[in-house]
Amino acid sequence: MTTELSQISPVELPSQPLIKSARLWMPKRVVFTADALNEPFGQAIYERISALNLPIEIAKNNRITGLRGADERETYRIAKNTLAVVNAPPGAFRLQPIPPSADWQMNLAEGCPAHCQYCYLAGSLSGPPVVRTYANLPKLLDHTKTYEGTYPPNRTWQKQADGSTGGLRPTTFEVSCYTDVLGIEHLTGSLAECIRHFGTRTTGQLRFVTKYDQVDSLLNLPHNGQTRARVSINADSIVRRLEGGTASLESRLQGIRKMALPKEMGGGGYPIGLVIAPIMAIPDWRDHYTALLDRIAEVLDFSQSAGTLDMNAEFISHRFTPGSRDVLLQWYPNTSLDMDETNRVEKRNKFGGTKYVYRPEEMKEMKAFFYAEWTKRFPNAPVLYWT
Ligand code: SF4
């Protein structure tokens, strides 16, 4: 039985934070394509997976089959328990702009082990939501060098101090658009590979975001300040009800705290980011999000003793498309997520697609709340954008 989000009230705010690390994802099936095994990085993944004693298959013809079940639910279950190790197709080398998050998106994998009932991937992945990780990642990374110094139209926060948009600042690369990079890191080592790569660059920077908390393997990497580690968080009631398979809110905050702490204090010394998403206008949303902001302020209050905290914030309001809603209702038929389009307004993108977003007056109210409350608590941590 599900609890309606509309029934959530302030009295449900927990007095004690729930500390629950995400369970490490152990797929029931791991399939390597023959091409992937020819890549040295594919071999390294093979060794990791073998050491974990997971069953491995080799697809000699480079095709992953057996992912379809009798219905969408079963297909979902099969796919979410499968890791495919493949080579990224040639199209993956043509990077796409990803405003407002970064300049370019570079995917190290597609598909995610978590079960968020509003998942952004619904309707945008082709085929079953299997996790496909790329064995030719070092080649993809090397290719990003050709994008350094290039800036797609992304006229939001990524400006120079003088207001211009290109030429002077490092080019940013986002790797988390189609997966949770930390959720699969124990199986692939791909995020560490990316961090090490960008640690050697001066004109390219890495951005990633996660809902997981197993950060220990990242703390001692030579990132040289060229990676911004971000955590995706939400009001605790939303995390608990809608974000299956992820770490609890408190564990995520403790994870990002470790990433930010200076190395001499046992942390990773990374620049960090807080992504509050998807922000939902649930009843008493001010109370729920005030509790969240207060907790962030408590957990990250070490700037006095440890120098300046390099942190910024991104705010993303909930939206859905007709296509993503259809897929999500097949994946999560009992969801309590509000996807009633009569509560929203329709917004068209430049390609003619439709998405449903909150009404302008509601959006304005939430935006004003978040900017004011964030700035009050974190005057030195800029808000990059609201969307
Ligand atoms: Fe989808 Fe992101 Fe949740 Fe993964 S963590 S299930 S990609 S919303």
Side-chain angles (χ1 to χ4, degrees):
M1 194 168 128
T2 57
T3 305
E4 288 296 323
L5 279 175
S6 58
Q7 293 166 4
I8 296 169
S9 74
V11 292
E12 288 188 56
L13 292 174
S15 51
Q16 287 301 320
L18 171 70
I19 303 179
K20 185 167 80 60
S21 271
R23 233 189 29 223
L24 287 180
W25 182 55
M26 292 296 168
K28 293 201 171 80
R29 186 178 174 215
V30 182
V31 192
F32 284 77
T33 62
D35 281 357
L37 274 179
N38 285 331
E39 296 287 333
F41 192 68
Q43 280 291 335
I45 297 178
Y46 185 91
E47 277 156 30
R48 271 177 181 263
I49 307 272
S50 303
L52 291 167
N53 288 323
L54 295 174
I56 295 179
E57 298 165 34
I58 314 293
K60 293 208 168 47
N61 58 5
N62 286 321
R63 289 191 58 233
I64 315 289
T65 55
L67 295 173
R68 292 266 172 210
D71 54 24
E72 279 305 316
R73 280 290 294 156
E74 199 186 345
T75 300
Y76 173 86
R77 263 198 304 277
I78 294 170
K80 283 276 188 176
N81 277 304
T82 304
L83 172 67
V85 186
V86 303
N87 279 346
F93 287 80
R94 280 190 304 278
L95 303 191
Q96 300 300 318
I98 183 70
S101 166
D103 289 313
W104 303 104
Q105 57 171 299
M106 194 221 77
N107 298 310
L108 53 77
E110 280 192 12
C112 175
H115 304 272
C116 302
Q117 295 177 27
Y118 53 76
C119 181
Y120 313 109
L121 301 184
S124 56
L125 289 179
S126 56
V130 60
V131 180
R132 286 172 208 275
T133 193
Y134 297 143
N136 53 349
L137 176 65
K139 288 177 182 155
L140 284 165
L141 283 170
D142 198 49
H143 187 66
T144 61
K145 292 177 189 165
T146 64
Y147 282 80
E148 291 180 9
T150 69
Y151 308 91
N154 181 6
R155 308 283 187 248
T156 54
W157 58 275
Q158 299 211 95
K159 292 193 176 74
Q160 310 296 350
D162 64 1
S164 63
T165 47
L168 301 171
R169 62 170 175 81
T171 303
T172 52
F173 297 88
E174 169 69 76
V175 284
S176 327
C177 299
Y178 283 94
T179 188
D180 192 301
V181 289
L182 194 53
I184 58 171
E185 177 64 5
H186 58 293
L187 301 167
T188 67
S190 302
L191 179 56
E193 186 74 10
C194 293
I195 293 171
R196 278 192 293 264
H197 169 85
F198 283 100
T200 66
R201 309 303 302 161
T202 53
T203 53
Q205 287 181 344
L206 178 71
R207 293 167 63 73
F208 77 86
V209 63
T210 184
K211 291 192 180 91
Y212 286 75
D213 65 324
Q214 297 94 348
V215 297
D216 288 356
S217 66
L218 309 178
L219 297 180
N220 292 321
L221 295 174
H223 60 80
N224 292 323
Q226 294 295 93
T227 290
R228 187 168 295 272
R230 291 132 76 219
V231 66
S232 170
I233 49 174
N234 214 321
D236 197 39
S237 54
I238 294 175
V239 170
R240 290 178 193 233
R241 283 173 176 80
L242 298 181
E243 298 183 349
T246 61
S248 69
L249 169 62
E250 184 65 18
S251 297
R252 286 180 220 174
L253 290 176
Q254 296 297 341
I256 203 70
R257 175 187 159 84
K258 265 197 219 171
M259 290 295 273
L261 269 176
K263 286 197 183 261
E264 55 277 16
M265 293 177 73
Y270 284 82
I272 63 163
L274 280 270
V275 182
I276 304 187
I279 293 169
M280 295 184 186
I282 55 177
D284 302 315
W285 58 264
R286 277 186 194 75
D287 298 314
H288 289 274
Y289 285 112
T290 297
L292 172 67
L293 294 168
D294 285 346
R295 189 61 192 147
I296 299 170
E298 283 165 9
V299 173
L300 296 178
D301 183 26
F302 56 81
S303 54
Q304 295 301 321
S305 54
T308 316
L309 175 62
D310 182 349
M311 174 167 83
N312 52 41
E314 296 152 76
F315 300 140
I316 303 172
S317 61
H318 180 240
R319 69 270 326 276
F320 58 91
T321 66
S324 69
R325 181 184 48 198
D326 290 351
V327 174
L328 288 171
L329 289 175
Q330 285 175 337
W331 288 355
Y332 310 107
N334 300 320
T335 188
S336 57
L337 176 63
D338 174 19
M339 289 190 286
D340 180 355
E341 72 270 22
T342 60
N343 295 331
R344 308 290 176 106
V345 291
E346 207 175 315
K347 211 169 158 186
R348 290 198 171 270
N349 66 24
K350 58 184 174 193
F351 307 109
T354 297
K355 62 183 169 190
Y356 295 108
V357 300
Y358 286 113
R359 294 201 180 93
E361 55 285 8
E362 215 168 14
M363 197 76 120
K364 214 170 129 194
E365 216 180 309
M366 289 197 289
K367 181 177 176 181
F369 168 86
F370 274 94
Y371 271 76
E373 295 297 318
W374 179 268
T375 311
K376 197 161 81 188
R377 290 167 181 78
F378 308 105
N380 300 317
V383 176
L384 301 187
Y385 59 85
W386 166 282
T387 185

